[in-house]
Amino acid sequence: MVKENEVAAMDIEVPKPNNSDQINPRYSINVLQLLKSAQMQHGLRHGDYARYRRYCTARLRRLYKSLKFTHGRGKYTRRVMNESTVTEVRYLHLVLYTAERAWSHAMEKRQLLDGPNAKQRIYLIGRLRKAVKWADLFSRLCATKGDSRTSLEAEAYASCMNGLLLFEQDRNWDTALKNFISARAVYEELGKYGDLENQVLCRERVEELEPSIRYCRHKIGESNLKTSELLQIGEMEGPALDLFKAKLEAAMAEARSQQAASLTEFHWLGHRFPISNAKNSGCHFKSTRIGEGFAWSFIRSDLASAGNADSVKDDLNGLDKAVGAVLGQRTIERNQLLVSIAKSKLARRREDKNEKVAKPEELVRLYDLLLQNTADLSDLVSSGRDRKPEEVAFSEDCVLRSMAFRAQRCFYLAKSYSSAGKRTEAYALYCHARSLAENALKKFQTMMDTDEAMTKELKTLYNECRANSCIEHATGIMEDEKAPENLSKKISTISLSGVDKKVEKFLVEKLDVYESAVGESNVKSVPRIGVFPPAFQSTPRNPIVLDLAYNCIDFPSLENRMKKDRKGFISRLWR
C-alpha cells in the first residue's frame, strides 16, 4: 500500500518536444500527498513521532543502498548533494526524508512528559535548524530539477519549516508570519487544481496553517485574540498544530503561575484574608478552578507553625473557614448536577433498553446528601463570634435551600412508595411534600433577591404534588372497590386437596406463546421461567447380572497339572 502511494507520488515528467528536456528531465513529486500518506501510516495518526522518525531512518537507509550513495565503509566520507548529483527522483526523496527525520526528532523532544528542559530545548532547536537546512536544499533542488508544481510545493514546505523554527525560538514573529502566509498562499492556489484528493489535502493544510498565522499576528499586535479563541484553536487536530499546542500549553501554564503569584488576598462574604504563603495562593487558584480543596493542608501546616501570634492565627482560621465554605458550595453544585441528570433519566421513557433508568430511590439518596451538605455549610458559616450581615444572609439562604431540598426529597420518596403499590403512604407523603413546597415558596417570595430558578422549581413541585396526590387517592379508592372481587377470585382457585385449579405455566412450557414471564414492574412477583432446582427423572441403565449357580458347581481338580516341589540336595542343584 505504501509502495503504491510512493510510486504514484514519484512519477517522472519527461517532456518529448526537444532534446534539451530529454537530457535534463524534470521530476515530479506530489510532496504533500507523499508526506501525508507516510505520516498517517507510520505513527502520526496517533501522534507517535518516535515511530515516524524510525520510519524515516529506515527509508533513508533503503534509499542510500539502492542509489549506492553510501558514505564509505569504516571511515565516514561526506557525499555532496547538489544539482549535478540529482540524476533521478530518489535523490530528491533523500533530501526530503532527511528533513522529515530531523523535524520528527524535534517534535519527539517537544512531547516529553514534563516538557523539554533547557538542554533538551537547545537540542530541539538544533534539530529544527537541521530540518530547515535540508528543506531549503530540497526547495533549491526542486527549483532546478523539478517541474513547476513540485517547485511550488517544495517552496511551501521550506517556508513552513522556517516558520516553525522561528515559532519555537519566540522571535522574529513578522518573519515567521511572512513564511506561514507564503506557504498558505501556495497551498490555496494548488488546492484549485488537480484531483479531488489533492484539493482536500491542500485545504486541510491551509486550515492547519491558519492558527499559527493568527497567533503570529497576535504576538505582533495586529490582532487581539481572546483566551477562549486560543483554546478553541488548540482543540484542532493535525501534525502541523502539535508545535502550536505545545506553545499554547506553555503560555497558559505561565499565565496561571503568574495569576497565582499575584493572588495576595482572598475575598469571601465581606472578609479579606491575606495570603502570604505562595503554596496557598497556587493551591487556592487551583481549587477555585476545579473545585478541590488543595489549600487546606498548607493552611493547617501554617496554623501549626504560627506559634503564639494571635493575629496570624485569626487570619489563617478565617482563610480556612472561607476555603471550606467554597469547597462546600462546589460540592452542593456537583450534587445538584447529579440530581438534574437523574431527573432527566427518570422522566425518559424506556426507549433504549441498554440505558440504565434511574429510580426514585436514587433521587432520595441524592437529596439526603444535599441536605447534609447544606447543614454542614450552614454550621460552618454560623460558627464564630463576629458575624457580618453577609454571613447571616448566607446562613438564611442555606436554611431556605434545605427546606426546598426537603420538599423535593419527600416528593420522590412518595414516588418510590407509589411504585411499590403502597397508596396510603404515597398519598400522605405527597400531601406533606405539597405543604413543604408551599412553605418554602412563601419564604423565597419574601426574600429581597429572589432566586427565580428555585421559585419556578418549587411552583412546579407544588403542582405535581397536588396532581399526584389526587391520582393516588383515586387509585387507592379503585383498588379498595376491587378488593372483594379480587379476593373472591383468589378464594375460588383454592381446593381442599391443596392443589390449585389453575396453575400458571412456566416460560419453558409455553415457548410458542408470546407472553411475559416477569410480570408488572410495580408488582413484586417471582418470575416463572423454569423450575429450579429441576425435579429428578428416571434414567435407563444396563441390567445387573447375578450369578446364582456359581456356588453350586463342583469344578474338577487340577492338582495333577500343578508343579510339584522337589526336596533334597540334588533337586536343589537342578533348579
Side-chain angles (χ1 to χ4, degrees), residues 121-180:
R121 192 169 184 277
I122 292 172
Y123 184 77
L124 184 153
I125 292 175
R127 290 286 91 191
L128 282 178
R129 283 201 185 99
K130 182 161 284 191
V132 168
K133 170 189 168 185
W134 286 100
D136 290 338
L137 177 60
F138 179 67
S139 178
R140 291 197 302 271
L141 292 176
C142 288
T144 57
K145 293 292 184 177
D147 60 359
S148 57
R149 182 185 180 86
T150 305
S151 177
L152 281 174
E153 286 200 57
E155 183 181 350
Y157 179 76
S159 299
C160 286
M161 283 295 177
N162 280 279
L164 288 176
L165 175 61
L166 296 174
F167 195 92
E168 178 61 32
Q169 289 177 334
D170 284 336
R171 64 182 187 185
N172 297 333
W173 293 102
D174 51 350
T175 309
L177 179 62
K178 290 178 182 178
N179 282 302
F180 286 133

Side-chain angles (χ1 to χ4, degrees), residues 218-488:
H218 173 68
K219 297 295 287 187
I220 294 172
E222 294 182 4
S223 65
N224 295 321
L225 281 177
K226 297 180 180 179
T227 306
S228 59
E229 294 177 353
L230 287 174
L231 292 175
Q232 288 176 1
I233 295 173
E235 292 175 356
M236 298 173 66
E237 298 292 337
L241 291 171
D242 288 340
L243 187 62
F244 173 78
K245 290 180 183 178
K247 183 69 66 178
L248 181 60
E249 289 175 1
M252 295 296 289
E254 184 179 356
R256 291 191 194 105
S257 62
Q258 290 177 358
Q259 186 174 356
S262 63
L263 188 63
T264 58
E265 284 186 344
F266 177 48
H267 300 265
W268 178 75
L269 294 182
H271 293 280
R272 290 187 178 184
F273 303 104
I275 302 176
S276 57
N277 193 345
K279 292 182 179 179
N280 286 344
S281 62
C283 291
H284 168 66
F285 179 70
K286 289 181 181 178
S287 68
T288 55
R289 287 182 65 249
I290 59 177
E292 297 184 10
F294 291 113
W296 270 4
S297 60
F298 295 106
I299 293 173
R300 287 166 185 173
S301 63
D302 289 346
L303 274 170
S305 61
N308 297 324
D310 293 337
S311 60
V312 177
K313 278 191 172 182
D314 290 341
D315 291 338
L316 288 174
N317 284 322
L319 183 60
D320 187 17
K321 176 181 175 181
V323 172
V326 171
L327 180 59
Q329 287 178 299
R330 296 298 172 85
T331 307
I332 290 174
E333 291 174 2
R334 170 187 172 275
N335 289 333
Q336 283 181 321
L337 179 61
L338 293 176
V339 164
S340 63
I341 294 172
K343 282 182 179 179
S344 63
K345 288 184 178 180
L346 184 65
R348 197 177 304 160
R349 298 293 181 184
R350 292 177 177 264
E351 297 176 356
D352 189 1
K353 294 183 179 180
N354 297 325
E355 186 178 1
K356 185 179 179 181
V357 180
K359 296 181 179 180
E361 290 83 357
E362 297 179 13
L363 282 159
V364 172
R365 182 182 60 83
L366 288 173
Y367 276 111
D368 283 335
L369 291 175
L370 280 171
L371 286 170
Q372 184 64 41
N373 298 145
T374 310
D376 293 341
L377 184 59
S378 179
D379 293 341
L380 180 64
V381 176
S382 301
S383 62
R385 290 173 294 179
D386 299 330
R387 296 177 61 192
K388 290 194 174 184
E390 291 86 354
E391 294 181 1
V392 176
F394 190 83
S395 299
E396 293 177 355
D397 183 71
C398 289
V399 172
L400 290 179
R401 288 186 179 277
S402 64
M403 292 176 64
F405 294 152
R406 193 173 292 109
Q408 294 273 10
R409 179 189 178 278
C410 188
F411 173 76
Y412 287 104
L413 185 61
K415 270 188 172 297
S416 66
Y417 274 99
S418 175
S419 61
K422 299 179 178 181
R423 307 299 173 190
T424 307
E425 293 85 349
Y427 175 75
L429 286 170
Y430 277 129
C431 293
H432 185 57
R434 184 177 63 180
S435 64
L436 289 175
E438 185 178 7
N439 294 333
L441 187 59
K442 290 179 181 178
K443 293 283 187 181
F444 269 98
Q445 289 175 348
T446 57
M447 292 178 60
M448 296 294 293
D449 298 329
T450 306
D451 191 348
E452 297 293 337
M454 185 62 74
T455 304
K456 184 178 179 181
E457 189 174 355
L458 286 172
K459 288 180 179 179
T460 305
L461 178 65
Y462 178 82
N463 295 329
E464 287 185 356
C465 288
R466 186 175 181 276
N468 281 282
S469 63
C470 295
I471 292 172
E472 290 299 323
H473 191 200
T475 307
I477 293 174
M478 290 174 62
E479 289 180 355
D480 289 341
E481 291 291 334
K482 291 182 179 180
E485 182 181 353
N486 295 333
L487 183 61
S488 62

Side-chain angles (χ1 to χ4, degrees), residues 2-18:
V2 178
K3 292 182 179 179
E4 292 178 358
N5 292 336
E6 291 175 353
V7 171
M10 286 195 242
D11 297 332
I12 301 176
E13 184 182 283
V14 185
K16 297 181 179 179
N18 50 39

